[in-house]
Amino acid sequence: MNKITINGKTITHSGRGSVCISNNKITIGGVDVEDLDTIEEKTVNIVIEGNVENIMTEDADITVNGTAGAATTKNGNITCGDVSGDVETKNGNVMCGSVQGDATTKNGNIMRGR
């Protein structure tokens, strides 16, 4: 089982399906699993232990301690292992292993190092 930790709250999951954080909800594989209204911190930090097919969020720092199919956030840093698709942030840094797709940021740096 994989684990996703969001500001100290850990959710276990199979590692299959997309992870989406939007509209104050966390959805894995199309199923709502957590309500972000219960998290008091203003900055959201997401740590995934294991692989993930796809993670998308609007405002969060994302760390994947494994590989990712794709990782996208509007505002936040992305740190992960290899990415088989695209990795993108509008405002933040990207640090990852090899990227099979595109690695983009508008305001930040792209570094290889995971």
Side-chain angles (χ1 to χ4, degrees), residues 72-84:
T72 305
T73 186
K74 287 185 182 175
N75 297 300
N77 300 315
I78 300 173
T79 304
C80 60
D82 294 340
V83 181
S84 61

Side-chain angles (χ1 to χ4, degrees), residues 82-98:
D82 294 340
V83 181
S84 61
D86 297 335
V87 59
E88 177 183 2
T89 181
K90 302 276 190 237
N91 297 300
N93 298 318
V94 173
M95 179 178 278
C96 57
S98 66

Side-chain angles (χ1 to χ4, degrees), residues 1-6 9-16 19 26 28 31-34 47-49 51:
M1 292 298 262
N2 289 346
K3 295 179 186 176
I4 298 175
T5 303
I6 301 170
K9 290 182 128 185
T10 300
I11 302 164
T12 58
H13 69 97
S14 67
R16 299 189 210 322
V19 175
I26 302 167
I28 300 174
V31 178
D32 289 344
V33 293
E34 190 73 36
V47 178
I48 299 175
E49 298 294 338
N51 302 331

Side-chain angles (χ1 to χ4, degrees), residues 20-111:
C20 181
I21 300 170
S22 183
N23 298 323
N24 289 329
K25 296 281 184 194
I26 302 167
T27 306
I28 300 174
V31 178
D32 289 344
V33 293
E34 190 73 36
D35 189 343
L36 288 179
D37 288 334
T38 61
I39 298 175
E40 295 179 17
E41 293 88 353
K42 297 295 181 196
T43 303
V44 177
N45 295 300
I46 302 165
V47 178
I48 299 175
E49 298 294 338
N51 302 331
V52 66
E53 290 178 23
N54 187 8
I55 181 164
M56 299 176 296
T57 185
E58 293 179 12
D59 295 296
D61 289 336
I62 299 170
T63 300
V64 179
N65 292 321
T67 61
T72 305
T73 186
K74 287 185 182 175
N75 297 300
N77 300 315
I78 300 173
T79 304
C80 60
D82 294 340
V83 181
S84 61
D86 297 335
V87 59
E88 177 183 2
T89 181
K90 302 276 190 237
N91 297 300
N93 298 318
V94 173
M95 179 178 278
C96 57
S98 66
V99 177
Q100 299 296 316
D102 293 328
T104 58
T105 182
K106 291 193 181 217
N107 298 306
N109 299 305
I110 299 173
M111 300 161 277

